[in-house]
Amino acid sequence: MQVSLRPATKSDLELMLAWRSNPLVYEDLYTQGYLREGPLGWSKHLAWWNSRYNWRIWIIQVEESDYTRSVGVVSVSQLDSWAPQIGFYVGEITLWGKGVGKEAVLHALKWLKQKKYSRVRTTVLQTNERSLKLLASLGFQRMREGRLGEMEVELFLNNLPEKVLTT
């Protein structure tokens, strides 16, 4: 199974909304899970897309048996800050635990390194054990408790390591 990224476009919005409508996916997302907003409506989803600035968002693709399909999202925002913020989710839940998210994050870290960034950060809900484990395996360290105290954790990766980025 080969994992790659391609730039997301407006034509991907319907698929992204479908993924974000699955409770297994959105329970680990801040606004939908922690704030219990549940599935997003189209107008709120579109407003999210249109509110983004200075960011990159990619669709995670998996190639298997000569077929490529879209399975999730990875994004990097706040590209004008000292440490951009990374976010990701695999919307195709049958691929959870198969390394797809990790490979997607690695691709985004490679992109950041090529753009001369040396640091990256993210915020994850404390209950999102899968993401916390994945990020720890890449060298992310807990920076501090986030705005919600025990409910979220800020993670930080300083000096993007070359050995991680060669895969």
Side-chain angles (χ1 to χ4, degrees):
M1 176 170 32
Q2 189 80 358
V3 177
S4 62
L5 302 180
R6 68 164 175 79
T9 66
K10 283 187 175 184
S11 65
D12 295 309
L13 283 171
E14 290 179 47
L15 182 56
M16 289 189 290
L17 180 60
W19 290 328
R20 292 179 72 186
S21 295
N22 182 336
L24 294 174
V25 174
Y26 74 66
E27 72 183 2
D28 287 327
L29 302 176
Y30 175 72
T31 54
Q32 292 178 256
Y34 177 73
L35 295 181
R36 304 199 190 289
E37 289 187 9
L40 295 178
W42 177 252
S43 61
K44 199 166 201 175
H45 181 60
L46 190 58
W48 162 81
W49 174 268
N50 290 327
S51 72
R52 300 286 134 192
Y53 72 96
N54 204 10
W55 72 316
R56 296 292 183 270
I57 183 166
W58 297 278
I59 296 297
I60 303 167
Q61 295 190 297
V62 170
E63 184 179 335
E64 275 185 300
S65 307
D66 296 327
Y67 185 77
T68 302
R69 66 187 192 281
S70 301
V71 300
V73 172
V74 64
S75 66
V76 180
S77 61
Q78 301 174 16
L79 291 168
D80 55 353
S81 74
W82 61 277
Q85 181 142 350
I86 193 166
F88 64 96
Y89 63 86
V90 175
E92 190 173 317
I93 62 173
T94 60
L95 293 175
W96 287 3
K98 307 249 192 254
V100 173
K102 185 174 185 174
E103 287 298 314
V105 171
L106 283 170
H107 283 299
L109 293 176
K110 283 182 186 180
W111 183 87
L112 284 165
K113 187 74 166 180
Q114 291 169 349
K115 298 294 182 187
K116 308 294 185 211
Y117 290 97
S118 61
R119 300 175 185 94
V120 66
R121 62 192 163 93
T122 191
T123 304
V124 177
L125 290 178
Q126 185 79 327
T127 55
N128 189 344
E129 294 174 12
R130 288 183 309 275
S131 288
L132 290 170
K133 183 179 175 182
L134 180 154
L135 293 164
S137 77
L138 294 175
F140 280 79
Q141 296 183 1
R142 290 175 185 242
M143 193 163 93
R144 65 177 183 250
E145 298 299 321
R147 292 166 288 164
L148 299 176
E150 295 180 9
M151 289 309 298
E152 71 179 10
V153 177
E154 284 191 60
L155 298 133
F156 182 70
L157 182 61
N158 193 19
N159 298 320
L160 299 178
E162 291 295 332
K163 64 179 179 167
V164 172
L165 300 178
T166 58
T167 42

